[in-house]
């Protein structure tokens, strides 16, 4: 048996370099052209695949992913445990432990809790937390931190929030075009460091566009969830990155 081949020579998945916001805007047109091509050739069976990293800076996606993971970790530090949920009293106690008391006093804390309690059942679980607490909310929230810690460091700054909004607008434009043309769209999984951000974007797009009851898309939760199995296109680059960090 011969030596194993040098896997660094294998073809890797496409990785987009960030070349500025105008280039990201231009790629929207490229994706829309692809959607029209699918619509004109195989409108029923065909689909188009896109990469979120083509529509925004990968380093921004990494920052978003870090912020999202830290926000989920902060839920546990507030007192939430896995499949458990925070009562209002637990939430208030944890909130005042990490943040300055708001100007509106307990009424403001109560309003924050009620906003997070999306099912209005008197508790906030991890699903409530991740669905209701936006990265914009997070950036405002950390301004009242008693001490600078992981949550504060992970929050996006104003420039990053604006870049995120622009990226989300581009993704929405592509999804809206696909919806209008009746073309299925698949959003590629990418590398580990940016995948949490991609997952979040995809779920929000599914909530918005996979609700067509005439096409049988809507389900008990109001939208059709879908995913695809991938073949590990980033295995080589992920392995090389892991080796370089160890």
């Amino acid at each position: 048996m011969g030596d194993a081949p040098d896997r660094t020579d294998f073809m890797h998945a496409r990785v987009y370099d960030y070349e500025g916001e105008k280039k990201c805007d231009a790629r929207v047109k490229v994706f829309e052209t692809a959607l029209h091509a699918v619509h004109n050739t195989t409108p029923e069976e065909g689909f188009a695949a896109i990469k979120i990293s083509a529509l925004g800076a990968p380093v921004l996606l990494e920052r978003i992913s870090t912020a999202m993971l830290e926000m989920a970790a902060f839920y546990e530090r507030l007192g939430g445990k896995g499949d458990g949920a925070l009562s209002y009293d637990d939430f208030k106690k944890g909130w005042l432990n990490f943040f300055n008391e708001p100007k509106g006093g307990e009424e403001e804390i109560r309003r924050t809790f009620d906003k997070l309690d999306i099912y209005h059942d008197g508790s906030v679980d991890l699903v409530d937390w991740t669905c209701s607490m936006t990265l914009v909310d997070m950036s405002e929230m950390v301004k009242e931190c008693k001490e600078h810690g992981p949550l504060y460091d992970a929050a996006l700054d104003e420039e990053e929030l604006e870049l995120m909004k622009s990226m989300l607008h581009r993704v929405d434009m592509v999804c809206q075009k696909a919806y209008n043309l009746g073309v299925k769209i698949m959003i590629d999984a990418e590398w580990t460091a940016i995948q949490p951000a991609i997952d979040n974007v995809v779920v929000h797009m599914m909530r918005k566009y996979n609700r067509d009851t005439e096409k049988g898309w809507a389900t008990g939760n109001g939208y059709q969830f879908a995913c695809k199995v991938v073949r590990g296109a980033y295995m080589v680059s992920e392995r090389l990155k892991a080796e370089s960090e160890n």
Side-chain angles (χ1 to χ4, degrees):
M1 183 179 294
D3 294 335
D6 181 1
R7 298 188 64 85
T8 60
D9 292 334
F10 285 17
M11 183 178 293
H12 297 186
R14 172 71 184 273
V15 176
Y16 286 89
D17 294 323
Y18 180 64
E19 302 174 70
E21 293 295 281
K22 289 185 178 179
K23 188 68 173 181
C24 292
D25 289 337
R27 287 172 180 154
V28 172
K29 300 299 183 184
V30 173
F31 289 148
E32 289 180 341
T33 299
L35 292 169
H36 278 287
V38 173
H39 175 72
N40 293 333
T41 53
T42 55
E44 295 297 328
E45 298 82 13
F47 66 89
I50 70 169
K51 288 183 181 291
I52 299 295
S53 62
L55 302 175
V59 68
L60 174 66
L61 288 165
E62 288 192 20
R63 286 281 291 121
I64 293 171
S65 294
T66 298
M68 291 177 56
L69 293 173
E70 179 52 39
M71 194 154 57
F74 182 69
Y75 170 79
E76 292 197 6
R77 294 201 293 276
L78 270 180
K81 300 294 183 183
D83 58 355
L86 286 167
S87 66
Y88 172 70
D89 289 339
D90 292 335
F91 177 81
K92 176 186 173 184
K93 179 180 178 181
W95 196 264
L96 292 176
N97 186 42
F98 289 100
F99 302 107
N100 298 318
E101 185 167 354
K103 294 179 180 179
E106 184 165 352
E107 288 186 7
E108 187 170 336
I109 297 175
R110 184 79 217 193
R111 285 196 298 271
T112 301
F113 179 84
D114 290 343
K115 176 188 174 183
L116 295 169
D117 180 14
I118 58 177
Y119 294 109
H120 309 295
D121 59 2
S123 64
V124 173
D125 61 17
L126 185 57
V127 174
D128 292 329
W129 178 263
T130 54
C131 289
S132 302
M133 182 64 73
T134 70
L135 295 182
V136 175
D137 294 331
M138 177 181 176
S139 295
E140 287 297 316
M141 182 173 68
V142 298
K143 293 177 181 178
E144 298 300 324
C145 284
K146 291 181 177 179
E147 297 179 0
H148 292 185
L151 187 73
Y152 185 93
D153 294 336
L156 303 185
D157 61 28
E158 291 298 325
E159 181 180 1
E160 290 170 327
L161 288 172
E162 287 303 314
L163 289 171
M164 180 185 72
K165 290 176 184 177
S166 296
M167 179 192 68
L168 293 175
H169 178 63
R170 295 183 191 106
V171 176
D172 188 67
M173 287 176 66
V174 174
C175 291
Q176 182 69 63
K177 176 65 72 173
Y179 183 84
N180 291 344
L181 293 173
V183 173
K184 300 179 184 70
I185 188 170
M186 292 189 181
I187 298 178
D188 282 349
E190 301 193 47
W191 60 96
T192 306
I194 68 173
Q195 194 57 45
I198 293 173
D199 291 341
N200 183 263
V201 172
V202 172
V203 169
H204 277 82
M205 291 299 109
M206 285 193 288
R207 284 187 181 132
K208 182 174 182 179
Y209 291 105
N210 286 10
R211 291 178 175 272
D212 196 326
T213 54
E214 292 183 3
K215 296 180 181 179
W217 290 353
T219 60
N221 58 10
Y223 70 98
Q224 178 67 55
F225 176 84
C227 63
K228 65 188 179 83
V229 178
V230 296
R231 58 182 173 81
Y234 292 88
M235 287 178 64
V236 175
S237 57
E238 293 276 21
R239 185 180 294 111
L240 292 173
K241 181 178 180 181
E243 290 173 353
S244 69
E245 293 177 350
N246 292 329

